[in-house]
PDB file of all heavy atoms in Angstrom:
ATOM      1  N   VAL A   2     -64.535 124.208-130.049  1.00 98.00           N
ATOM      2  CA  VAL A   2     -63.757 124.983-129.084  1.00 98.00           C
ATOM      3  C   VAL A   2     -62.562 124.130-128.666  1.00 98.00           C
ATOM      4  O   VAL A   2     -62.724 123.007-128.187  1.00 98.00           O
ATOM      5  CB  VAL A   2     -64.579 125.371-127.845  1.00 98.00           C
ATOM      6  CG1 VAL A   2     -63.692 126.126-126.848  1.00 98.00           C
ATOM      7  CG2 VAL A   2     -65.792 126.211-128.229  1.00 98.00           C
ATOM      8  N   LEU A   3     -61.379 124.681-128.868  1.00 98.00           N
ATOM      9  CA  LEU A   3     -60.142 124.019-128.450  1.00 98.00           C
ATOM     10  C   LEU A   3     -59.542 124.786-127.288  1.00 98.00           C
ATOM     11  O   LEU A   3     -59.334 126.001-127.376  1.00 98.00           O
ATOM     12  CB  LEU A   3     -59.135 123.980-129.609  1.00 98.00           C
ATOM     13  CG  LEU A   3     -57.719 123.501-129.259  1.00 98.00           C
ATOM     14  CD1 LEU A   3     -57.724 122.028-128.873  1.00 98.00           C
ATOM     15  CD2 LEU A   3     -56.749 123.764-130.410  1.00 98.00           C
ATOM     16  N   VAL A   4     -59.249 124.090-126.201  1.00 98.00           N
ATOM     17  CA  VAL A   4     -58.569 124.688-125.056  1.00 98.00           C
ATOM     18  C   VAL A   4     -57.093 124.325-125.146  1.00 98.00           C
ATOM     19  O   VAL A   4     -56.718 123.146-125.075  1.00 98.00           O
ATOM     20  CB  VAL A   4     -59.155 124.192-123.726  1.00 98.00           C
ATOM     21  CG1 VAL A   4     -58.387 124.787-122.550  1.00 98.00           C
ATOM     22  CG2 VAL A   4     -60.631 124.559-123.635  1.00 98.00           C
ATOM     23  N   ALA A   5     -56.257 125.333-125.337  1.00 98.00           N
ATOM     24  CA  ALA A   5     -54.812 125.137-125.499  1.00 98.00           C
ATOM     25  C   ALA A   5     -54.086 126.118-124.586  1.00 98.00           C
ATOM     26  O   ALA A   5     -53.456 127.076-125.038  1.00 98.00           O
ATOM     27  CB  ALA A   5     -54.410 125.356-126.956  1.00 98.00           C
ATOM     28  N   VAL A   6     -54.191 125.874-123.289  1.00 97.00           N
ATOM     29  CA  VAL A   6     -53.667 126.799-122.285  1.00 97.00           C
ATOM     30  C   VAL A   6     -52.472 126.212-121.546  1.00 97.00           C
ATOM     31  O   VAL A   6     -52.202 126.559-120.402  1.00 97.00           O
ATOM     32  CB  VAL A   6     -54.769 127.215-121.290  1.00 97.00           C
ATOM     33  CG1 VAL A   6     -55.822 128.061-121.973  1.00 97.00           C
ATOM     34  CG2 VAL A   6     -55.408 126.000-120.619  1.00 97.00           C
ATOM     35  N   GLY A   7     -51.748 125.325-122.211  1.00 94.00           N
ATOM     36  CA  GLY A   7     -50.541 124.779-121.609  1.00 94.00           C
ATOM     37  C   GLY A   7     -50.720 123.349-121.148  1.00 94.00           C
ATOM     38  O   GLY A   7     -51.803 122.765-121.248  1.00 94.00           O
ATOM     39  N   ALA A   8     -49.640 122.802-120.629  1.00 95.00           N
ATOM     40  CA  ALA A   8     -49.629 121.405-120.184  1.00 95.00           C
ATOM     41  C   ALA A   8     -49.055 121.322-118.781  1.00 95.00           C
ATOM     42  O   ALA A   8     -48.188 122.117-118.393  1.00 95.00           O
ATOM     43  CB  ALA A   8     -48.804 120.549-121.138  1.00 95.00           C
ATOM     44  N   ALA A   9     -49.538 120.354-118.025  1.00 96.00           N
ATOM     45  CA  ALA A   9     -49.072 120.119-116.658  1.00 96.00           C
ATOM     46  C   ALA A   9     -48.348 118.784-116.598  1.00 96.00           C
ATOM     47  O   ALA A   9     -48.749 117.822-117.259  1.00 96.00           O
ATOM     48  CB  ALA A   9     -50.255 120.118-115.690  1.00 96.00           C
ATOM     49  N   PRO A  10     -47.274 118.693-115.824  1.00 97.00           N
ATOM     50  CA  PRO A  10     -46.559 117.425-115.727  1.00 97.00           C
ATOM     51  C   PRO A  10     -47.439 116.341-115.099  1.00 97.00           C
ATOM     52  O   PRO A  10     -48.177 116.594-114.151  1.00 97.00           O
ATOM     53  CB  PRO A  10     -45.361 117.759-114.839  1.00 97.00           C
ATOM     54  CG  PRO A  10     -45.788 118.956-114.056  1.00 97.00           C
ATOM     55  CD  PRO A  10     -46.693 119.736-114.965  1.00 97.00           C
ATOM     56  N   ARG A  11     -47.332 115.146-115.628  1.00 97.00           N
ATOM     57  CA  ARG A  11     -48.146 114.026-115.163  1.00 97.00           C
ATOM     58  C   ARG A  11     -47.417 113.367-113.984  1.00 97.00           C
ATOM     59  O   ARG A  11     -46.578 112.473-114.164  1.00 97.00           O
ATOM     60  CB  ARG A  11     -48.355 113.039-116.310  1.00 97.00           C
ATOM     61  CG  ARG A  11     -49.516 112.093-116.126  1.00 97.00           C
ATOM     62  CD  ARG A  11     -49.649 111.158-117.329  1.00 97.00           C
ATOM     63  NE  ARG A  11     -49.986 111.868-118.541  1.00 97.00           N
ATOM     64  CZ  ARG A  11     -51.228 112.185-118.916  1.00 97.00           C
ATOM     65  NH1 ARG A  11     -52.250 111.853-118.135  1.00 97.00           N
ATOM     66  NH2 ARG A  11     -51.444 112.830-120.056  1.00 97.00           N
ATOM     67  N   VAL A  12     -47.753 113.817-112.776  1.00 98.00           N
ATOM     68  CA  VAL A  12     -46.966 113.435-111.597  1.00 98.00           C
ATOM     69  C   VAL A  12     -47.767 112.656-110.549  1.00 98.00           C
ATOM     70  O   VAL A  12     -47.276 112.454-109.438  1.00 98.00           O
ATOM     71  CB  VAL A  12     -46.341 114.682-110.921  1.00 98.00           C
ATOM     72  CG1 VAL A  12     -45.346 115.341-111.837  1.00 98.00           C
ATOM     73  CG2 VAL A  12     -47.418 115.666-110.471  1.00 98.00           C
ATOM     74  N   ALA A  13     -48.968 112.206-110.877  1.00 97.00           N
ATOM     75  CA  ALA A  13     -49.780 111.519-109.867  1.00 97.00           C
ATOM     76  C   ALA A  13     -49.040 110.323-109.287  1.00 97.00           C
ATOM     77  O   ALA A  13     -49.038 110.110-108.050  1.00 97.00           O
ATOM     78  CB  ALA A  13     -51.112 111.088-110.475  1.00 97.00           C
ATOM     79  N   LEU A  14     -48.426 109.504-110.126  1.00 98.00           N
ATOM     80  CA  LEU A  14     -47.682 108.338-109.636  1.00 98.00           C
ATOM     81  C   LEU A  14     -46.522 108.767-108.750  1.00 98.00           C
ATOM     82  O   LEU A  14     -46.302 108.203-107.672  1.00 98.00           O
ATOM     83  CB  LEU A  14     -47.141 107.532-110.809  1.00 98.00           C
ATOM     84  CG  LEU A  14     -48.061 106.554-111.510  1.00 98.00           C
ATOM     85  CD1 LEU A  14     -47.358 105.999-112.739  1.00 98.00           C
ATOM     86  CD2 LEU A  14     -48.457 105.415-110.580  1.00 98.00           C
ATOM     87  N   ALA A  15     -45.771 109.749-109.213  1.00 98.00           N
ATOM     88  CA  ALA A  15     -44.609 110.206-108.465  1.00 98.00           C
ATOM     89  C   ALA A  15     -45.011 110.786-107.120  1.00 98.00           C
ATOM     90  O   ALA A  15     -44.380 110.517-106.087  1.00 98.00           O
ATOM     91  CB  ALA A  15     -43.847 111.245-109.287  1.00 98.00           C
ATOM     92  N   HIS A  16     -46.052 111.586-107.116  1.00 98.00           N
ATOM     93  CA  HIS A  16     -46.514 112.209-105.878  1.00 98.00           C
ATOM     94  C   HIS A  16     -46.999 111.151-104.887  1.00 98.00           C
ATOM     95  O   HIS A  16     -46.650 111.188-103.694  1.00 98.00           O
ATOM     96  CB  HIS A  16     -47.630 113.199-106.186  1.00 98.00           C
ATOM     97  CG  HIS A  16     -48.177 113.892-104.976  1.00 98.00           C
ATOM     98  ND1 HIS A  16     -47.439 114.760-104.220  1.00 98.00           N
ATOM     99  CD2 HIS A  16     -49.395 113.823-104.378  1.00 98.00           C
ATOM    100  CE1 HIS A  16     -48.170 115.209-103.214  1.00 98.00           C
ATOM    101  NE2 HIS A  16     -49.359 114.654-103.282  1.00 98.00           N
ATOM    102  N   ALA A  17     -47.782 110.193-105.373  1.00 98.00           N
ATOM    103  CA  ALA A  17     -48.287 109.132-104.496  1.00 98.00           C
ATOM    104  C   ALA A  17     -47.157 108.290-103.928  1.00 98.00           C
ATOM    105  O   ALA A  17     -47.243 107.782-102.802  1.00 98.00           O
ATOM    106  CB  ALA A  17     -49.272 108.253-105.253  1.00 98.00           C
ATOM    107  N   ALA A  18     -46.081 108.145-104.687  1.00 98.00           N
ATOM    108  CA  ALA A  18     -44.941 107.350-104.225  1.00 98.00           C
ATOM    109  C   ALA A  18     -44.074 108.108-103.229  1.00 98.00           C
ATOM    110  O   ALA A  18     -43.215 107.516-102.565  1.00 98.00           O
ATOM    111  CB  ALA A  18     -44.095 106.920-105.410  1.00 98.00           C
ATOM    112  N   GLY A  19     -44.278 109.415-103.117  1.00 97.00           N
ATOM    113  CA  GLY A  19     -43.493 110.216-102.191  1.00 97.00           C
ATOM    114  C   GLY A  19     -42.273 110.860-102.787  1.00 97.00           C
ATOM    115  O   GLY A  19     -41.419 111.372-102.056  1.00 97.00           O
ATOM    116  N   LEU A  20     -42.166 110.888-104.112  1.00 98.00           N
ATOM    117  CA  LEU A  20     -41.037 111.563-104.744  1.00 98.00           C
ATOM    118  C   LEU A  20     -41.159 113.077-104.567  1.00 98.00           C
ATOM    119  O   LEU A  20     -42.256 113.627-104.569  1.00 98.00           O
ATOM    120  CB  LEU A  20     -40.977 111.217-106.228  1.00 98.00           C
ATOM    121  CG  LEU A  20     -40.545 109.791-106.569  1.00 98.00           C
ATOM    122  CD1 LEU A  20     -40.715 109.529-108.057  1.00 98.00           C
ATOM    123  CD2 LEU A  20     -39.101 109.542-106.153  1.00 98.00           C
ATOM    124  N   GLU A  21     -40.029 113.722-104.448  1.00 97.00           N
ATOM    125  CA  GLU A  21     -40.010 115.164-104.231  1.00 97.00           C
ATOM    126  C   GLU A  21     -40.373 115.889-105.518  1.00 97.00           C
ATOM    127  O   GLU A  21     -39.850 115.577-106.589  1.00 97.00           O
ATOM    128  CB  GLU A  21     -38.632 115.597-103.753  1.00 97.00           C
ATOM    129  CG  GLU A  21     -38.558 117.061-103.366  1.00 97.00           C
ATOM    130  CD  GLU A  21     -37.188 117.448-102.836  1.00 97.00           C
ATOM    131  OE1 GLU A  21     -36.293 116.580-102.796  1.00 97.00           O
ATOM    132  OE2 GLU A  21     -37.025 118.635-102.478  1.00 97.00           O
ATOM    133  N   LEU A  22     -41.258 116.882-105.393  1.00 98.00           N
ATOM    134  CA  LEU A  22     -41.653 117.698-106.534  1.00 98.00           C
ATOM    135  C   LEU A  22     -41.031 119.084-106.424  1.00 98.00           C
ATOM    136  O   LEU A  22     -40.798 119.595-105.329  1.00 98.00           O
ATOM    137  CB  LEU A  22     -43.180 117.812-106.610  1.00 98.00           C
ATOM    138  CG  LEU A  22     -43.968 116.505-106.690  1.00 98.00           C
ATOM    139  CD1 LEU A  22     -45.459 116.792-106.824  1.00 98.00           C
ATOM    140  CD2 LEU A  22     -43.476 115.626-107.830  1.00 98.00           C
ATOM    141  N   ALA A  23     -40.778 119.683-107.575  1.00 97.00           N
ATOM    142  CA  ALA A  23     -40.232 121.035-107.625  1.00 97.00           C
ATOM    143  C   ALA A  23     -41.348 122.057-107.472  1.00 97.00           C
ATOM    144  O   ALA A  23     -42.540 121.716-107.418  1.00 97.00           O
ATOM    145  CB  ALA A  23     -39.492 121.242-108.948  1.00 97.00           C
ATOM    146  N   ASP A  24     -40.978 123.320-107.422  1.00 95.00           N
ATOM    147  CA  ASP A  24     -41.959 124.385-107.228  1.00 95.00           C
ATOM    148  C   ASP A  24     -42.996 124.431-108.344  1.00 95.00           C
ATOM    149  O   ASP A  24     -44.135 124.844-108.118  1.00 95.00           O
ATOM    150  CB  ASP A  24     -41.258 125.742-107.134  1.00 95.00           C
ATOM    151  CG  ASP A  24     -40.436 125.882-105.855  1.00 95.00           C
ATOM    152  OD1 ASP A  24     -40.671 125.100-104.921  1.00 95.00           O
ATOM    153  OD2 ASP A  24     -39.563 126.766-105.818  1.00 95.00           O
ATOM    154  N   ASP A  25     -42.621 124.019-109.565  1.00 93.00           N
ATOM    155  CA  ASP A  25     -43.567 124.050-110.677  1.00 93.00           C
ATOM    156  C   ASP A  25     -44.422 122.794-110.753  1.00 93.00           C
ATOM    157  O   ASP A  25     -45.213 122.626-111.680  1.00 93.00           O
ATOM    158  CB  ASP A  25     -42.834 124.264-112.006  1.00 93.00           C
ATOM    159  CG  ASP A  25     -41.931 123.094-112.378  1.00 93.00           C
ATOM    160  OD1 ASP A  25     -41.778 122.159-111.568  1.00 93.00           O
ATOM    161  OD2 ASP A  25     -41.376 123.110-113.492  1.00 93.00           O
ATOM    162  N   GLY A  26     -44.276 121.900-109.779  1.00 95.00           N
ATOM    163  CA  GLY A  26     -45.107 120.698-109.721  1.00 95.00           C
ATOM    164  C   GLY A  26     -44.529 119.495-110.426  1.00 95.00           C
ATOM    165  O   GLY A  26     -45.094 118.400-110.349  1.00 95.00           O
ATOM    166  N   ALA A  27     -43.401 119.650-111.122  1.00 98.00           N
ATOM    167  CA  ALA A  27     -42.779 118.523-111.817  1.00 98.00           C
ATOM    168  C   ALA A  27     -41.878 117.752-110.853  1.00 98.00           C
ATOM    169  O   ALA A  27     -41.614 118.178-109.728  1.00 98.00           O
ATOM    170  CB  ALA A  27     -41.982 119.025-113.015  1.00 98.00           C
ATOM    171  N   VAL A  28     -41.412 116.590-111.313  1.00 98.00           N
ATOM    172  CA  VAL A  28     -40.532 115.769-110.488  1.00 98.00           C
ATOM    173  C   VAL A  28     -39.166 116.440-110.405  1.00 98.00           C
ATOM    174  O   VAL A  28     -38.553 116.773-111.420  1.00 98.00           O
ATOM    175  CB  VAL A  28     -40.396 114.347-111.065  1.00 98.00           C
ATOM    176  CG1 VAL A  28     -39.401 113.525-110.250  1.00 98.00           C
ATOM    177  CG2 VAL A  28     -41.745 113.653-111.094  1.00 98.00           C
ATOM    178  N   ARG A  29     -38.691 116.618-109.214  1.00 98.00           N
ATOM    179  CA  ARG A  29     -37.421 117.307-108.975  1.00 98.00           C
ATOM    180  C   ARG A  29     -36.265 116.344-109.246  1.00 98.00           C
ATOM    181  O   ARG A  29     -36.160 115.282-108.621  1.00 98.00           O
ATOM    182  CB  ARG A  29     -37.381 117.796-107.525  1.00 98.00           C
ATOM    183  CG  ARG A  29     -36.159 118.592-107.125  1.00 98.00           C
ATOM    184  CD  ARG A  29     -36.240 118.899-105.630  1.00 98.00           C
ATOM    185  NE  ARG A  29     -35.073 119.619-105.157  1.00 98.00           N
ATOM    186  CZ  ARG A  29     -35.013 120.936-105.002  1.00 98.00           C
ATOM    187  NH1 ARG A  29     -36.063 121.679-105.301  1.00 98.00           N
ATOM    188  NH2 ARG A  29     -33.919 121.513-104.555  1.00 98.00           N
ATOM    189  N   VAL A  30     -35.394 116.703-110.204  1.00 98.00           N
ATOM    190  CA  VAL A  30     -34.217 115.889-110.507  1.00 98.00           C
ATOM    191  C   VAL A  30     -32.976 116.764-110.521  1.00 98.00           C
ATOM    192  O   VAL A  30     -33.056 117.981-110.698  1.00 98.00           O
ATOM    193  CB  VAL A  30     -34.353 115.138-111.858  1.00 98.00           C
ATOM    194  CG1 VAL A  30     -35.492 114.131-111.802  1.00 98.00           C
ATOM    195  CG2 VAL A  30     -34.558 116.114-113.011  1.00 98.00           C
ATOM    196  N   ASP A  31     -31.821 116.121-110.341  1.00 98.00           N
ATOM    197  CA  ASP A  31     -30.574 116.862-110.346  1.00 98.00           C
ATOM    198  C   ASP A  31     -30.059 117.015-111.769  1.00 98.00           C
ATOM    199  O   ASP A  31     -30.761 116.696-112.740  1.00 98.00           O
ATOM    200  CB  ASP A  31     -29.556 116.200-109.419  1.00 98.00           C
ATOM    201  CG  ASP A  31     -29.117 114.808-109.893  1.00 98.00           C
ATOM    202  OD1 ASP A  31     -29.413 114.423-111.043  1.00 98.00           O
ATOM    203  OD2 ASP A  31     -28.464 114.097-109.093  1.00 98.00           O
ATOM    204  N   ALA A  32     -28.818 117.465-111.910  1.00 98.00           N
ATOM    205  CA  ALA A  32     -28.267 117.712-113.242  1.00 98.00           C
ATOM    206  C   ALA A  32     -28.174 116.437-114.069  1.00 98.00           C
ATOM    207  O   ALA A  32     -28.205 116.493-115.302  1.00 98.00           O
ATOM    208  CB  ALA A  32     -26.894 118.358-113.113  1.00 98.00           C
ATOM    209  N   GLY A  33     -28.077 115.291-113.409  1.00 98.00           N
ATOM    210  CA  GLY A  33     -28.016 114.013-114.116  1.00 98.00           C
ATOM    211  C   GLY A  33     -29.356 113.327-114.261  1.00 98.00           C
ATOM    212  O   GLY A  33     -29.407 112.142-114.603  1.00 98.00           O
ATOM    213  N   LEU A  34     -30.444 114.062-113.984  1.00 98.00           N
ATOM    214  CA  LEU A  34     -31.825 113.569-114.136  1.00 98.00           C
ATOM    215  C   LEU A  34     -32.188 112.524-113.089  1.00 98.00           C
ATOM    216  O   LEU A  34     -33.126 111.745-113.276  1.00 98.00           O
ATOM    217  CB  LEU A  34     -32.060 113.016-115.557  1.00 98.00           C
ATOM    218  CG  LEU A  34     -31.719 113.982-116.690  1.00 98.00           C
ATOM    219  CD1 LEU A  34     -31.908 113.299-118.054  1.00 98.00           C
ATOM    220  CD2 LEU A  34     -32.579 115.233-116.608  1.00 98.00           C
ATOM    221  N   ARG A  35     -31.516 112.550-111.961  1.00 98.00           N
ATOM    222  CA  ARG A  35     -31.753 111.591-110.884  1.00 98.00           C
ATOM    223  C   ARG A  35     -32.597 112.233-109.791  1.00 98.00           C
ATOM    224  O   ARG A  35     -32.350 113.374-109.393  1.00 98.00           O
ATOM    225  CB  ARG A  35     -30.415 111.125-110.310  1.00 98.00           C
ATOM    226  CG  ARG A  35     -30.509 110.092-109.200  1.00 98.00           C
ATOM    227  CD  ARG A  35     -29.116 109.636-108.779  1.00 98.00           C
ATOM    228  NE  ARG A  35     -28.287 110.765-108.351  1.00 98.00           N
ATOM    229  CZ  ARG A  35     -26.999 110.655-108.012  1.00 98.00           C
ATOM    230  NH1 ARG A  35     -26.387 109.477-108.109  1.00 98.00           N
ATOM    231  NH2 ARG A  35     -26.331 111.718-107.612  1.00 98.00           N
ATOM    232  N   THR A  36     -33.598 111.520-109.296  1.00 98.00           N
ATOM    233  CA  THR A  36     -34.397 112.002-108.176  1.00 98.00           C
ATOM    234  C   THR A  36     -33.647 111.732-106.879  1.00 98.00           C
ATOM    235  O   THR A  36     -32.591 111.102-106.860  1.00 98.00           O
ATOM    236  CB  THR A  36     -35.764 111.305-108.114  1.00 98.00           C
ATOM    237  OG1 THR A  36     -35.598 109.962-107.640  1.00 98.00           O
ATOM    238  CG2 THR A  36     -36.444 111.278-109.487  1.00 98.00           C
ATOM    239  N   ALA A  37     -34.243 112.175-105.774  1.00 96.00           N
ATOM    240  CA  ALA A  37     -33.642 111.917-104.468  1.00 96.00           C
ATOM    241  C   ALA A  37     -33.837 110.474-104.028  1.00 96.00           C
ATOM    242  O   ALA A  37     -33.153 110.009-103.107  1.00 96.00           O
ATOM    243  CB  ALA A  37     -34.224 112.872-103.430  1.00 96.00           C
ATOM    244  N   ALA A  38     -34.758 109.749-104.646  1.00 98.00           N
ATOM    245  CA  ALA A  38     -34.987 108.349-104.303  1.00 98.00           C
ATOM    246  C   ALA A  38     -33.919 107.482-104.949  1.00 98.00           C
ATOM    247  O   ALA A  38     -33.523 107.732-106.097  1.00 98.00           O
ATOM    248  CB  ALA A  38     -36.376 107.908-104.765  1.00 98.00           C
ATOM    249  N   PRO A  39     -33.439 106.469-104.277  1.00 96.00           N
ATOM    250  CA  PRO A  39     -32.373 105.630-104.836  1.00 96.00           C
ATOM    251  C   PRO A  39     -32.779 104.999-106.167  1.00 96.00           C
ATOM    252  O   PRO A  39     -33.853 104.400-106.278  1.00 96.00           O
ATOM    253  CB  PRO A  39     -32.168 104.549-103.754  1.00 96.00           C
ATOM    254  CG  PRO A  39     -32.664 105.167-102.492  1.00 96.00           C
ATOM    255  CD  PRO A  39     -33.807 106.057-102.898  1.00 96.00           C
ATOM    256  N   ASP A  40     -31.930 105.188-107.180  1.00 97.00           N
ATOM    257  CA  ASP A  40     -32.056 104.506-108.476  1.00 97.00           C
ATOM    258  C   ASP A  40     -33.335 104.865-109.229  1.00 97.00           C
ATOM    259  O   ASP A  40     -33.817 104.088-110.058  1.00 97.00           O
ATOM    260  CB  ASP A  40     -31.970 102.988-108.298  1.00 97.00           C
ATOM    261  CG  ASP A  40     -30.630 102.559-107.736  1.00 97.00           C
ATOM    262  OD1 ASP A  40     -29.606 103.102-108.210  1.00 97.00           O
ATOM    263  OD2 ASP A  40     -30.594 101.709-106.827  1.00 97.00           O
ATOM    264  N   VAL A  41     -33.883 106.040-108.970  1.00 98.00           N
ATOM    265  CA  VAL A  41     -35.076 106.510-109.675  1.00 98.00           C
ATOM    266  C   VAL A  41     -34.730 107.799-110.413  1.00 98.00           C
ATOM    267  O   VAL A  41     -34.183 108.742-109.819  1.00 98.00           O
ATOM    268  CB  VAL A  41     -36.259 106.744-108.717  1.00 98.00           C
ATOM    269  CG1 VAL A  41     -37.482 107.249-109.493  1.00 98.00           C
ATOM    270  CG2 VAL A  41     -36.613 105.467-107.959  1.00 98.00           C
ATOM    271  N   TYR A  42     -35.058 107.837-111.698  1.00 98.00           N
ATOM    272  CA  TYR A  42     -34.732 108.953-112.572  1.00 98.00           C
ATOM    273  C   TYR A  42     -36.015 109.463-113.240  1.00 98.00           C
ATOM    274  O   TYR A  42     -37.036 108.779-113.256  1.00 98.00           O
ATOM    275  CB  TYR A  42     -33.729 108.513-113.651  1.00 98.00           C
ATOM    276  CG  TYR A  42     -32.395 108.092-113.102  1.00 98.00           C
ATOM    277  CD1 TYR A  42     -32.240 106.864-112.449  1.00 98.00           C
ATOM    278  CD2 TYR A  42     -31.280 108.917-113.207  1.00 98.00           C
ATOM    279  CE1 TYR A  42     -31.004 106.476-111.927  1.00 98.00           C
ATOM    280  CE2 TYR A  42     -30.048 108.538-112.696  1.00 98.00           C
ATOM    281  CZ  TYR A  42     -29.914 107.322-112.058  1.00 98.00           C
ATOM    282  OH  TYR A  42     -28.693 106.951-111.544  1.00 98.00           O
ATOM    283  N   ALA A  43     -35.949 110.659-113.801  1.00 98.00           N
ATOM    284  CA  ALA A  43     -37.083 111.207-114.547  1.00 98.00           C
ATOM    285  C   ALA A  43     -36.549 111.991-115.736  1.00 98.00           C
ATOM    286  O   ALA A  43     -35.484 112.616-115.661  1.00 98.00           O
ATOM    287  CB  ALA A  43     -37.958 112.099-113.674  1.00 98.00           C
ATOM    288  N   ALA A  44     -37.296 111.949-116.844  1.00 98.00           N
ATOM    289  CA  ALA A  44     -36.866 112.642-118.061  1.00 98.00           C
ATOM    290  C   ALA A  44     -38.078 113.116-118.848  1.00 98.00           C
ATOM    291  O   ALA A  44     -39.172 112.561-118.737  1.00 98.00           O
ATOM    292  CB  ALA A  44     -36.009 111.720-118.932  1.00 98.00           C
ATOM    293  N   GLY A  45     -37.868 114.151-119.659  1.00 97.00           N
ATOM    294  CA  GLY A  45     -38.936 114.669-120.507  1.00 97.00           C
ATOM    295  C   GLY A  45     -39.801 115.684-119.797  1.00 97.00           C
ATOM    296  O   GLY A  45     -39.374 116.351-118.849  1.00 97.00           O
ATOM    297  N   ASP A  46     -41.045 115.789-120.232  1.00 97.00           N
ATOM    298  CA  ASP A  46     -41.968 116.814-119.721  1.00 97.00           C
ATOM    299  C   ASP A  46     -42.163 116.762-118.212  1.00 97.00           C
ATOM    300  O   ASP A  46     -42.482 117.772-117.586  1.00 97.00           O
ATOM    301  CB  ASP A  46     -43.349 116.652-120.368  1.00 97.00           C
ATOM    302  CG  ASP A  46     -43.383 117.021-121.837  1.00 97.00           C
ATOM    303  OD1 ASP A  46     -42.303 117.213-122.426  1.00 97.00           O
ATOM    304  OD2 ASP A  46     -44.479 117.099-122.401  1.00 97.00           O
ATOM    305  N   VAL A  47     -42.008 115.587-117.627  1.00 98.00           N
ATOM    306  CA  VAL A  47     -42.320 115.411-116.211  1.00 98.00           C
ATOM    307  C   VAL A  47     -41.184 115.872-115.303  1.00 98.00           C
ATOM    308  O   VAL A  47     -41.372 116.006-114.096  1.00 98.00           O
ATOM    309  CB  VAL A  47     -42.667 113.929-115.921  1.00 98.00           C
ATOM    310  CG1 VAL A  47     -41.424 113.052-115.906  1.00 98.00           C
ATOM    311  CG2 VAL A  47     -43.447 113.783-114.622  1.00 98.00           C
TER     312      VAL A  47
END
């Protein structure tokens, strides 16, 4: 039996650090992939 019902962003570290998450649970970044925290960026599935 294979369960293939999608993937969730791996945000435990980001959430624990206090980074802002978007409505879909991923790390919220702007158009340049920058978070609201100084000098912190996110890219890819997260």
Side-chain angles (χ1 to χ4, degrees):
V2 178
L3 171 67
V4 178
V6 292
R11 199 179 295 274
V12 295
L14 278 173
H16 180 66
L20 289 172
E21 186 177 1
L22 303 183
D24 291 342
D25 66 354
V28 176
R29 183 184 178 97
V30 296
D31 66 12
L34 306 176
R35 182 176 57 184
T36 74
D40 298 317
V41 179
Y42 296 74
D46 290 11
V47 75

